[in-house]
Amino acid sequence: MSDAAQPTAAEVRAAADAVKTALDRHLEAVERRTGDDDPAVYDAFNALAAAAEVYDELLYDRYDEVTPFEIPGAEDSLPPYEGPGEPHALSVLIRRDYAVAEPARLIAQAQRLADLDPDAQDSASVAVAGAGVHAALGVLFGEYEADEIASRHKEFGLEEGDSTLWVSAAHELPEPGEWLGAPFDEADPALVVCRFDVSAVFDEEDEPDTDRGDRS
């Protein structure tokens, strides 16, 4: 960045003062909170995150320096929780992505399962190898639970992609069969009690930035 485009020392100082103000307001909101999902605390958190981000950018642009902390941005957080205070039922929503890295291994594993199945017809066993990946996936996911496939994915010729797990609260269990036609259509982020994400992008973010230094 050229000297002409750099922020002034006064602008950096003003951004620092804004962080201090945002810190005070966040503490005040926390002290006055009315519950775990108090919107005032949520808003104060986001305001603090925004002020800290501005200060961090200006500090680097002016002085080539970074802060020793990083506050998650609003886009990285869930909305305020709006579910029951004492959930009596839970929905666990899971998505795991895989690439078929070794089709031959996948088909071979499925073929082995079909061959060992005493109830399988000869034609079904032949169909696994003949129909390819589509049939092999049906055999594997029909035989193993999703958690076992996750722990043994390399054995099945699969490569992990992103995954996420949402634990969502409810007042009571839905009626049997109620959501089977569209199991994920009613997922509401405001009812999520906790969420766990796994992605290679997080590993990339943790790597030191040679241009700006380690901000973690």
Side-chain angles (χ1 to χ4, degrees):
M1 179 178 290
S2 67
D3 292 342
Q6 285 185 347
T8 65
E11 289 173 328
V12 179
R13 173 61 61 182
D17 290 339
V19 173
K20 297 173 188 176
T21 299
L23 276 169
D24 289 338
R25 291 177 177 171
H26 181 261
L27 178 57
E28 290 173 1
V30 171
E31 291 172 337
R32 300 173 181 174
R33 73 188 314 159
T34 58
D36 292 340
D37 57 346
D38 191 332
V41 176
Y42 180 74
D43 291 342
F45 172 88
N46 288 337
L48 175 57
E53 183 177 0
V54 171
Y55 171 64
D56 188 72
E57 293 295 331
L58 293 178
L59 184 70
Y60 178 80
D61 291 343
R62 175 70 186 183
Y63 298 110
D64 197 23
E65 187 57 73
V66 297
T67 57
F69 55 85
E70 182 175 358
I71 301 177
E75 66 276 5
D76 298 326
S77 59
L78 290 168
Y81 177 70
E82 298 177 359
E86 297 184 5
H88 296 292
L90 298 173
S91 291
V92 180
L93 309 178
I94 302 174
R95 172 172 173 170
R96 295 189 179 108
D97 288 352
Y98 298 97
V100 180
E102 300 179 69
R105 178 185 290 271
L106 173 67
I107 294 171
Q109 290 284 7
Q111 185 70 63
R112 181 182 63 82
L113 288 172
D115 291 343
L116 292 174
D117 186 354
D119 297 326
Q121 301 294 325
D122 291 340
S123 58
S125 297
V126 173
V128 175
V133 170
H134 183 274
L137 289 172
V139 171
L140 286 176
F141 281 86
E143 176 69 19
Y144 297 114
E145 296 288 341
D147 287 343
E148 184 167 4
I149 290 178
S151 65
R152 300 174 59 185
H153 63 277
K154 291 183 179 179
E155 178 183 339
F156 301 140
L158 302 175
E159 181 180 306
E160 283 185 311
D162 288 356
S163 67
T164 187
L165 182 151
W166 293 19
V167 179
S168 187
H171 291 283
E172 58 186 15
L173 283 177
E175 293 295 324
E178 182 177 331
W179 49 257
L180 292 179
F184 301 109
D185 280 4
E186 297 182 7
D188 185 350
L191 298 180
V192 173
V193 177
C194 53
R195 172 177 175 172
F196 304 95
D197 297 325
V198 177
S199 174
V201 72
F202 299 143
D203 298 332
E204 295 171 1
E205 291 175 352
D206 289 339
E207 294 178 358
D209 188 329
T210 55
D211 294 331
R212 297 199 52 172
D214 188 356
R215 296 161 59 98
S216 60

